[in-house]
Tab-separated table of all heavy atoms in Angstrom:
chain	number	residue	atom	x	y	z
A	102	PRO	N	17.546	11.692	0.547
A	102	PRO	CA	18.988	11.834	0.840
A	102	PRO	C	19.689	10.544	1.265
A	102	PRO	O	20.741	10.210	0.701
A	102	PRO	CB	19.019	12.906	1.932
A	102	PRO	CG	17.810	13.730	1.673
A	102	PRO	CD	16.764	12.760	1.227
A	103	PRO	N	19.185	9.783	2.250
A	103	PRO	CA	19.924	8.561	2.611
A	103	PRO	C	19.957	7.531	1.497
A	103	PRO	O	20.969	6.831	1.324
A	103	PRO	CB	19.168	8.030	3.840
A	103	PRO	CG	17.824	8.659	3.784
A	103	PRO	CD	18.022	9.985	3.144
A	104	LEU	N	18.888	7.435	0.722
A	104	LEU	CA	18.875	6.474	-0.379
A	104	LEU	C	19.877	6.861	-1.458
A	104	LEU	O	20.650	6.021	-1.944
A	104	LEU	CB	17.470	6.381	-0.972
A	104	LEU	CG	16.395	5.744	-0.083
A	104	LEU	CD1	15.023	5.876	-0.733
A	104	LEU	CD2	16.709	4.279	0.175
A	105	LEU	N	19.880	8.124	-1.842
A	105	LEU	CA	20.792	8.581	-2.893
A	105	LEU	C	22.246	8.521	-2.424
A	105	LEU	O	23.125	8.032	-3.147
A	105	LEU	CB	20.430	10.004	-3.313
A	105	LEU	CG	21.306	10.613	-4.412
A	105	LEU	CD1	21.164	9.834	-5.711
A	105	LEU	CD2	20.949	12.088	-4.644
A	106	THR	N	22.491	9.004	-1.207
A	106	THR	CA	23.861	9.041	-0.690
A	106	THR	C	24.472	7.645	-0.616
A	106	THR	O	25.605	7.410	-1.064
A	106	THR	CB	23.887	9.698	0.692
A	106	THR	OG1	23.371	11.041	0.602
A	106	THR	CG2	25.297	9.732	1.256
A	107	ASN	N	23.742	6.703	-0.056
A	107	ASN	CA	24.296	5.362	0.107
A	107	ASN	C	24.424	4.631	-1.218
A	107	ASN	O	25.349	3.828	-1.396
A	107	ASN	CB	23.421	4.557	1.070
A	107	ASN	CG	23.713	4.889	2.523
A	107	ASN	OD1	23.733	6.053	2.905
A	107	ASN	ND2	23.945	3.881	3.335
A	108	THR	N	23.525	4.908	-2.152
A	108	THR	CA	23.635	4.257	-3.453
A	108	THR	C	24.844	4.780	-4.217
A	108	THR	O	25.616	4.002	-4.799
A	108	THR	CB	22.354	4.468	-4.273
A	108	THR	OG1	21.225	3.992	-3.535
A	108	THR	CG2	22.428	3.711	-5.590
A	109	VAL	N	25.025	6.091	-4.221
A	109	VAL	CA	26.193	6.674	-4.890
A	109	VAL	C	27.485	6.175	-4.238
A	109	VAL	O	28.438	5.764	-4.919
A	109	VAL	CB	26.139	8.218	-4.838
A	109	VAL	CG1	27.451	8.812	-5.327
A	109	VAL	CG2	24.995	8.735	-5.692
A	110	THR	N	27.524	6.184	-2.909
A	110	THR	CA	28.733	5.753	-2.200
A	110	THR	C	28.996	4.269	-2.418
A	110	THR	O	30.151	3.843	-2.606
A	110	THR	CB	28.587	6.029	-0.693
A	110	THR	OG1	28.309	7.423	-0.500
A	110	THR	CG2	29.852	5.659	0.050
A	111	GLY	N	27.929	3.460	-2.387
A	111	GLY	CA	28.104	2.021	-2.553
A	111	GLY	C	28.598	1.637	-3.935
A	111	GLY	O	29.573	0.886	-4.076
A	112	VAL	N	27.965	2.188	-4.971
A	112	VAL	CA	28.361	1.838	-6.344
A	112	VAL	C	29.696	2.489	-6.699
A	112	VAL	O	30.569	1.857	-7.291
A	112	VAL	CB	27.264	2.254	-7.339
A	112	VAL	CG1	27.699	1.978	-8.776
A	112	VAL	CG2	25.967	1.509	-7.042
A	113	GLY	N	29.846	3.741	-6.336
A	113	GLY	CA	31.087	4.441	-6.671
A	113	GLY	C	32.274	4.006	-5.843
A	113	GLY	O	33.416	4.252	-6.235
A	114	GLY	N	32.038	3.352	-4.715
A	114	GLY	CA	33.126	2.951	-3.847
A	114	GLY	C	33.659	1.553	-4.105
A	114	GLY	O	34.535	1.086	-3.363
A	115	VAL	N	33.139	0.883	-5.117
A	115	VAL	CA	33.655	-0.448	-5.446
A	115	VAL	C	35.124	-0.316	-5.856
A	115	VAL	O	35.500	0.599	-6.598
A	115	VAL	CB	32.816	-1.086	-6.575
A	115	VAL	CG1	33.439	-2.406	-7.033
A	115	VAL	CG2	31.395	-1.316	-6.105
Side-chain angles (χ1 to χ4, degrees):
L104 292 173
L105 180 64
T106 301
N107 280 51
T108 304
V109 171
T110 304
V112 176
V115 174

